[in-house]
Amino acid sequence: MSARSTCRPAVEQGELPTWARSGFSGNTAMRHIVGDNGEIAAVLFGYPYHAPAAAEGHGNKILWVAKEPKGAQGSGPDAKLTITARLAGSGQVASRSVAGGPGPSLIDMPKPGCWQFTLSWPGHSDRLDIEYLAG
């Protein structure tokens, strides 16, 4: 799969989509990115992110929320969210995975720049871009 020619981190500061609010109470206005296909939301904690990770105790935390809830066909105890990240404008690729499928994670990248994430989990896939600043 080839990288897109441009990298556009579509970070929003506002209400999470209705389907991404499970587990939240009160104000659900948060920094987030919805995938190109609308199948997943990345709720961004501690944004902006840094590469390498900024300070001890400060991680690049992302809560991945899938539009289709857990328990959907194809999910189970061995499910995982697989991330193939490509650094825009280069041939560099990094792979990450989140055990259990979409959920909380720390996603650190090896270099600063705009990373194009291709995400897949049982029965689904989506894409989004995330910018990492120099640590």
Side-chain angles (χ1 to χ4, degrees):
M1 186 180 298
S2 65
R4 293 172 285 172
S5 61
T6 59
C7 192
R8 296 179 300 266
V11 178
E12 298 179 42
Q13 174 63 52
E15 292 293 322
L16 293 172
T18 304
W19 53 265
R21 296 178 190 172
S22 180
F24 291 97
S25 61
N27 184 0
T28 59
M30 307 188 143
R31 197 169 279 119
H32 65 281
I33 301 171
V34 175
D36 293 347
N37 299 328
E39 293 291 317
I40 198 162
V43 182
L44 309 173
F45 294 93
Y47 191 82
Y49 294 150
H50 294 88
E56 188 68 32
H58 174 84
N60 296 315
K61 183 177 179 183
I62 301 172
L63 173 61
W64 302 102
V65 183
K67 188 172 188 175
E68 189 170 309
K70 289 185 178 186
Q73 181 179 358
S75 66
D78 296 328
K80 66 180 175 178
L81 171 67
T82 301
I83 302 167
T84 302
R86 298 178 192 285
L87 179 59
S90 81
Q92 185 162 1
V93 176
S95 298
R96 305 287 184 264
S97 67
V98 178
S105 65
L106 290 174
I107 304 295
D108 295 327
M109 290 290 109
K111 290 174 125 176
C114 191
W115 288 87
Q116 301 169 314
F117 285 35
T118 300
L119 307 128
S120 61
W121 62 104
H124 301 278
S125 65
D126 213 335
R127 296 177 67 148
L128 54 83
D129 301 337
I130 301 178
E131 182 80 26
Y132 284 75
L133 304 177

